[in-house]
Amino acid sequence: MRWRVYLVVGGLLALLLVTAGATTAVRLHLSSVGHRLTNTLRPAQAEVADLVQAYIDEETGERGYLLTRDPSFLEPYAFGERATSTATTRLRHLFADDQESSAALERVTRAADAWRTQAIDPELVAFRNGSLTGQALVGAVGKGKTLFDALRAVLGDLQTRINDEVNSALQVSNAAQTTANNVTIAAAIAAAVLAAVAAWQLRRSFAVPLNRLVAQVRRVSSGDLDHSVDVSGPLEITTVADTVETMRVRILAESAKAADVGRQLARYEEAERIASSLGDTVIGQLFTTSLVLQSAAGRYPLVAPVLAGAIGDLDRAVKDLRSAIFELTSSASGQQSLGNQVLDVVDQWETGVGVAPEVQLAGVVDSDRLQPMAADVVAVVREVLATVVRPSDVATVISVSADDDTVRLRVTGGARDQAVDVAGLRQRAEHWGGSCGVDVAGAVVTVSWQVPLTLPGTSPDGGS
């Protein structure tokens, strides 16, 4: 009979090893997919959306300038031109190991170059020297629209490709999660069967302890995995009980981890859907409406004060939507991300002075890697708003960006004084091996603060 007990125990141990190996393999696969989704596909998806919006801003500004002669329309054109260059550079870095996506990006670049060289640049030169009027202006706008439609088509192909890769990664993760669940269920069923066999073999000589063990195992196998197995009795009984208890704890742990990964992927998918909807439709419509109102204010000075209030409301709505999109796609960790902390400081400043600064968040500002230096970055933002810039006609712009190497903070606004003391800001930067600079040009002051990005656990002590 003893060899039969050993056989049952061996079966349970083998089951434990198979379950642990299978669940570990699934977890590693999920981790690999999640890493690619978080570090490559999601950033690439956001950069492509920014690239599309930047080209739209560029085309809208140039066409508005041609149709209205209002130079203010060149501001979104210039901003879009810079934004497309930045987004293209980042996408080339993200697509370094993806030849097909790199080729799609190059097609976008060629179409954009053709649009600029054959339409935008000649149109602006001719329009400024007065040779582009009347029917020639109509024809030029039509040609520019045809070339931009070709650019929009290849942009759509690139965006579709990235979205398909994101969906494919999510499907692979869901399939792996299903496999993990099936393995867990099969392991629980097999454990119940083996436990029943052990009970049948040992009933006569180990009636009381074995019946107790069987009752406990049946309770666990029926779904009550929170019920612990009592490890007591003869050596054979305790061996089986200890094995079942170890397997139960492991199944609970692996099930909890697998469920957490599933919930996190579901949150990523829902957040991406909402953020994509807001970014592709609502923000674009609000921005277009703001441009139309700005154009109307320039053409009709009598109603400009009334339109200025509406334009301000639209700008604040766009800022709030962008903040909401950032919060949807921010890190799921328990700590508040750097971007959210900066937005909190800005909200407090806006409440105190009644002016809403513009906040620009770029790169991996929601990464947990920024937590060691987040307190210093937030402290610098608060100190600059309190002592360096002041509410004025000069718009206050706060830009926070982070890549794999560096965290950068740039604040531009009205200067409080021509002599700016940045000793405290520089000390915080040097504490992390970074630098701080200030540039005062008339009534405008710009503070540039940056530090290298170090991994948690390797940064210096201290920090606020």
Side-chain angles (χ1 to χ4, degrees):
M1 178 178 296
R2 186 179 297 274
W3 68 269
R4 294 180 180 178
V5 174
Y6 291 155
L7 181 63
V8 172
V9 173
L12 288 170
L13 290 174
L15 178 62
L16 175 62
L17 293 176
V18 170
T19 303
T23 52
T24 300
V26 170
R27 284 187 59 204
L28 291 175
H29 182 61
L30 285 173
S31 177
S32 175
V33 172
H35 183 271
R36 181 168 181 264
L37 189 65
T38 301
N39 295 336
T40 300
L41 295 180
R42 293 295 187 190
Q45 195 173 42
E47 289 294 344
V48 170
D50 291 342
L51 185 64
V52 172
Q53 186 60 51
Y55 277 121
I56 292 174
D57 291 345
E58 207 174 331
E59 195 267 347
T60 301
E62 188 264 351
R63 185 182 297 180
Y65 173 63
L66 294 181
L67 296 177
T68 65
R69 295 181 178 273
D70 185 355
S72 65
F73 277 99
L74 292 179
E75 294 180 6
Y77 168 77
F79 175 79
E81 192 172 28
R82 294 191 300 270
T84 56
S85 176
T86 300
T88 300
T89 300
R90 291 173 178 167
L91 285 172
R92 282 175 178 158
H93 174 72
L94 292 171
F95 294 156
D97 299 326
D98 189 342
Q99 295 182 353
E100 294 185 7
S101 296
S102 296
L105 179 60
E106 291 307 314
R107 288 194 291 273
V108 171
T109 303
R110 289 195 295 271
D113 291 340
W115 173 56
R116 289 196 179 102
T117 57
Q118 299 177 29
I120 298 296
D121 295 341
E123 287 174 5
L124 290 177
V125 172
F127 187 75
R128 286 166 177 159
N129 62 29
S131 62
L132 187 64
T133 59
Q135 190 63 32
L137 175 60
V138 175
V141 171
K143 179 180 179 181
K145 183 179 184 302
T146 300
L147 291 172
F148 186 74
D149 289 341
L151 172 59
R152 190 190 290 255
V154 292
L155 278 170
D157 293 341
L158 177 61
Q159 198 165 35
T160 299
R161 171 176 177 76
I162 297 303
N163 290 338
D164 289 343
E165 289 195 9
V166 170
N167 292 332
S168 176
L170 291 173
Q171 291 174 0
V172 170
S173 297
N174 291 335
Q177 180 62 46
T178 300
T179 300
N181 292 338
N182 292 337
V183 169
T184 301
I185 294 173
I189 294 174
V193 171
L194 289 175
V197 171
W200 182 75
Q201 290 290 335
L202 300 174
R203 179 174 301 180
R204 293 183 180 178
S205 56
F206 303 96
V208 175
L210 186 56
N211 287 338
R212 181 174 65 248
L213 175 62
V214 170
Q216 293 173 348
V217 171
R218 285 177 176 172
R219 183 171 176 178
V220 171
S221 63
S222 66
D224 188 6
L225 294 176
D226 293 328
H227 179 70
S228 61
V229 177
D230 181 20
V231 183
S232 62
L235 178 61
E236 292 81 358
I237 298 296
T238 58
T239 301
V240 175
D242 184 64
T243 302
V244 173
E245 174 65 8
T246 302
M247 182 175 61
R248 181 193 69 83
V249 173
R250 184 59 180 269
I251 290 174
L252 277 176
E254 297 299 334
S255 297
K257 292 176 182 177
D260 183 66
V261 171
R263 288 191 297 269
Q264 187 175 11
L265 289 174
R267 288 195 298 270
Y268 283 160
E269 186 175 11
E270 181 63 14
E272 173 59 27
R273 183 188 66 78
I274 296 173
S276 176
S277 176
L278 290 174
D280 292 344
T281 58
V282 179
I283 289 181
Q285 293 170 1
L286 290 177
F287 188 75
T288 301
T289 302
S290 177
L291 289 178
V292 172
L293 291 178
Q294 291 176 24
S295 175
R299 286 179 289 157
Y300 304 103
L302 292 179
V303 297
V306 178
L307 293 180
I311 293 171
D313 291 340
L314 286 175
D315 291 341
R316 284 189 293 273
V318 170
K319 180 177 81 78
D320 292 341
L321 284 174
R322 284 174 174 166
S323 298
I325 291 173
F326 175 79
E327 291 175 357
L328 283 173
T329 55
S330 63
S331 174
S333 65
Q335 293 179 307
Q336 190 179 32
S337 66
L338 173 59
N340 282 337
Q341 294 182 56
V342 172
L343 290 173
D344 288 343
V345 172
V346 170
D347 288 341
Q348 295 170 10
W349 193 71
E350 178 183 352
T351 301
V353 303
V355 178
E358 179 183 351
V359 180
Q360 300 173 355
L361 302 173
V364 291
V365 295
D366 59 340
S367 173
D368 291 339
R369 296 177 60 195
L370 273 64
Q371 289 300 328
M373 60 193 65
D376 277 317
V377 177
V378 173
V380 169
V381 173
R382 183 179 288 107
E383 185 172 345
V384 170
L385 292 177
T387 63
V388 179
V389 302
R390 64 179 178 83
S392 65
D393 294 336
V394 179
T396 301
V397 181
I398 301 172
S399 173
V400 182
S401 63
D403 53 29
D404 292 337
D405 301 318
T406 310
V407 181
R408 296 180 178 86
L409 169 64
R410 182 183 177 90
V411 183
T412 301
R416 287 182 180 270
D417 196 341
Q418 292 297 315
V420 179
D421 181 11
V422 293
L425 307 180
R426 185 175 291 111
Q427 182 179 6
R428 289 182 182 275
E430 292 174 351
H431 174 74
W432 295 97
S435 62
C436 176
V438 61
D439 179 29
V440 180
V444 180
V445 61
T446 301
V447 177
S448 300
W449 190 92
Q450 65 178 28
V451 296
L453 181 59
T454 55
L455 292 171
T458 63
S459 61
D461 295 332
S464 64

